[in-house]
Amino acid sequence: MTAAAAAGTPWRDISIETGTGAVPARLYGRRAGRGHVPLVLHLHGGAFIGGTPECGAFIAALLAEAGAVVVSADYPLAIDHPFPFALTAALGVLTALAGRRAALAGRGAPLYVAGEEAGGNLAAGLAMMARDQKSPVLAGQILVSPMLDPCLGTASIREAEAGACGCKYADGWQAYLGSPQAADHPYAAPLAARRLKGLPPALVVSAEDCLLRDDSVRYAAALDAAGVPAEMNLLPAPTEWPDALAHPLDALPADAATVQSRSACPPQWAGALRAMFARFFETTGRARPVASPSVP
């Protein structure tokens, strides 16, 4: 049983046609009745070198339970495809979703990007690309403990005794960047960005015991300083983030009774995270977004 199935959220496999080919994805949630609901492109974690939409199933399900139609894309991993392959593929999916929003989520549906860990990095990079290209227009970005700084020198990284060679985050950054020059590119390392003005509103969430905590706090502060509406939420420990963000219900034995028992008692942070998503959709999706202003 998958995390999404255990959580009771319907999903199905789909394929998104882009200008460079088809991208496998999962579709969560549905629009009930008339009107529109938020449409979210979700990107899973895995430190750029691992992960699948299955690993992102729980977060995608929470986004759907918060009222959205969610497309969780299976982007190319950095082991074989360093920056900017994953970002380019994700932009193709985002552009395709913008063109299909009426069929998927209703005419005028607000469009969002969301991701956790490495997927949060890609979501932040996509928000910058969409701003710079002035298309597609985003209503918001949702970043859950995003990987934003390849330096891996923050206090939260040191507290977790991570960041050294052999750490999956260090290895993931090395594979994703491909060359040292990419570490200065704002699309690859959003905390290196000097132009944040004009980005869509952001919901940034991390946890007290998350090794990526400081990246989240610093980025939310930088967005706020640039005049971008940014809501920073820090969940209390223990959460076991960021590892617990990946299919927390799937690590159980394949026993129906055990799964049913666990699904009745989701992680303590699940309800709070779902409520944050729902509130963010409510506050940012009331009016159809207008084109982002030009950024000098």
Side-chain angles (χ1 to χ4, degrees):
M1 179 176 285
T2 68
T9 303
W11 63 271
R12 60 186 174 90
D13 289 321
I14 61 172
S15 180
I16 303 295
E17 292 294 333
T18 73
T20 57
V23 176
R26 283 184 173 186
L27 178 66
Y28 295 81
R30 60 173 64 93
R31 177 170 59 108
R34 297 183 179 181
H36 62 251
V37 297
L39 178 59
V40 181
L41 170 60
H42 168 259
L43 300 157
H44 63 79
F48 300 114
I49 52 178
T52 65
E54 176 66 19
C55 295
F58 196 74
I59 298 301
L62 288 179
L63 288 162
E65 289 171 11
V69 168
V70 182
V71 174
S72 187
D74 191 7
Y75 57 85
L77 299 180
I79 294 175
D80 298 314
H81 300 91
F83 174 80
F85 278 91
L87 201 56
T88 301
L91 181 63
V93 175
L94 184 64
T95 302
L97 293 185
R100 294 178 56 186
R101 78 174 77 202
L104 289 169
R107 186 179 299 276
L111 184 63
Y112 296 81
V113 288
E116 64 274 13
E117 199 227 46
N121 172 292
L122 296 174
L126 279 177
M128 292 184 190
M129 294 181 77
R131 174 203 62 188
D132 294 345
Q133 298 180 19
K134 300 183 181 179
S135 179
V137 176
L138 296 177
Q141 52 183 317
I142 298 173
L143 313 177
V144 182
S145 279
M147 290 176 65
L148 300 172
D149 185 0
C151 293
L152 297 174
T154 62
S156 58
I157 289 284
R158 294 195 300 272
E159 289 167 6
E161 298 182 351
C165 225
C167 159
K168 71 176 179 180
Y169 300 102
D171 292 347
W173 272 115
Q174 183 176 13
Y176 182 60
L177 296 176
S179 67
Q181 291 78 12
D184 292 326
H185 199 299
Y187 295 170
L191 266 172
R194 295 182 177 87
R195 288 190 309 119
L196 297 176
K197 183 179 178 182
L199 288 174
L203 171 64
V204 188
V205 187
S206 191
E208 292 175 345
D209 58 336
C210 180
L211 60 85
L212 298 172
R213 176 194 68 216
D214 292 349
D215 278 14
S216 301
V217 173
R218 290 167 58 204
Y219 195 58
L223 290 170
D224 184 69
V228 177
E231 177 186 343
M232 177 68 221
N233 291 273
L234 203 60
L235 295 176
T239 63
E240 299 181 3
W241 282 17
D243 289 343
L245 292 168
H247 53 83
L249 299 176
D250 283 2
L252 296 167
D255 174 82
T258 304
V259 171
Q260 184 175 4
S261 174
R262 175 64 179 274
S263 64
C265 185
Q268 52 140 357
W269 43 263
L273 195 56
R274 180 173 52 241
M276 290 176 196
F277 293 161
R279 185 172 65 249
F280 187 65
F281 291 144
E282 173 65 20
T283 57
T284 58
R286 290 172 181 165
R288 187 167 181 175
V290 297
S292 300
S294 298
V295 181

